[in-house]
Amino acid sequence: MSSELLKRVECKLEEIPGLGTFIVVPKGLEQVIPDTTAISGVDPKGEQTLYRGYTIEDLGMNADFYEAAYLISRGVLPCDEEYKEFKKKIDYWRGRVPEKVYDALKTLPKTHPMYYGAYGALLLGQIYAPEWSFDKDSLYEHQIRLSAQLPVIFAAAYNLANHGTFVRPDSGVDHAWDLLRMITMREPTKLEARAFESSLVLYMDHGFNASCFTVRVVASTLSDMYSAIAAGIGALKGPLHGGANEEAMKMFLDAYKKAVEKGVPLEEYIVDYIKERLARKERIMGFGHRVYKIKDPRTDVAAYFIRQLKDGEMWIKVLKNAEKVMWESKKLPSNIDLYTAVLYYQLGIDIPLYTPIFAMGRVVGWTSHYIEQVLDNRLIRPTEKYVGPVGLKYQPMEVRCRR
Ligand code: CMC
């Protein structure tokens, strides 16, 4: 088995004359374990994907934002006093985004809101720089502040650029309810807020994915937490990672438009629509995963809430039919981004905010990985295998460009 794996992923030992022996791992680091973590682990079968020992489904169904965030950060579920203290701090800091940040957000152009998050994280880093320290308690305080304030920045900047106004946070209400209110600029129902909160819990962490690894690489240079999170936001923005939830919804809306033209219900038309796109060799966003090859367990929890929201039964049929055709054609399972796309649409959220919402949950995981990395650090610095030309000699332009 191990030699089969080594062959499949092209992993080998290689002697490079004059340099020594190197471990050559596959492009994309598939099946490579660069370090250990006690924060979360992704199970390829989707049965035991864990946050600190608890399955992701258990927490997605039952834990609130504060409980899940405390667990991911500190390693255990909080008890009464710990919970109250943690919640108080998250709520306090959510309401205390520095006025300088709002002033800066008012000047930004209309663009993708992931830029606002990276920009905002770096602004906070500059404002809080005088208080920066690698002391463990201080790291936890920065984590709380950043986790509380980054979501506000996304919501405020997006609404300022797109609607010319924004809703200020309220420290007297629950985090998830308040964020959804700031995002949509209307008061959500209890069910809507709980569905949204559950999605934040499901997004909170997920092993060494691309943005988490990016954060850990930046942390390993002993750069500050804010810079690492800005880099993580950049990695999450891509359509192969967090950007997939936006692309999945655009796909559903395109399919819906065509279904209406043809006079066929979306839940039926989605099958032909996907087959046509596959025939054109297109990627179907919201399907496939580097680790999950059978099932992404987060989808069941999201489905539970989708069913209860607007047009829930219809959306579940669309999702199930899309899954059936993708499994039959490509043996690919759906992933969480397919489901949150629908969930956020049901909640009336603008599509460009879907990936920022992923970041609103994931900031807890990123900052926990930052802390885990810096408290037991080793600079992450692989070695390249140079395959370019050798032996060239510099020539001035008049010589090297002579015809
Ligand atoms: N649609 C159609 N074909 C696909 C898809 C897809 N979504 N995903 C993989 N494939 C095909 C791919 O073309 C290849 O086929 P072949 O062997 O015939 O060339 C095969 O499946 C293997 O693909 P791969 O790219 O080598 O697999 P990977 O493990 O590197 O890909 C992935 C993982 C997530 C990049 C990929 O599945 C993908 O692009 N999915 C769409 C984007 C997406 O939904 N991303 C969200 C991931 S989960 C949330 C998160 O963590 O961000």
Side-chain angles (χ1 to χ4, degrees), residues 106 155-168 182 185:
K106 287 176 188 155
Y158 175 80
N159 282 322
L160 277 165
N162 289 275
H163 306 298
T165 183
F166 73 105
V167 171
R168 282 185 180 262
M182 282 184 267
M185 299 203 285

Side-chain angles (χ1 to χ4, degrees), residues 251-273 314 318:
M251 172 186 79
F252 283 134
L253 292 182
D254 184 43
Y256 178 68
K257 204 171 123 224
K258 295 188 169 122
V260 170
E261 282 163 14
K262 289 177 190 295
V264 186
L266 176 61
E267 55 269 39
E268 278 175 34
Y269 179 62
I270 194 71
V271 174
D272 288 343
Y273 180 84
M314 183 277 290
V318 172

Side-chain angles (χ1 to χ4, degrees), residues 240-242 244 283-290 293 332 335 337:
L240 296 189
H241 193 4
R283 271 193 188 219
I284 312 297
M285 295 297 157
F287 283 92
H289 196 274
R290 178 54 68 78
K293 298 301 173 199
L332 287 172
N335 61 56
D337 286 341

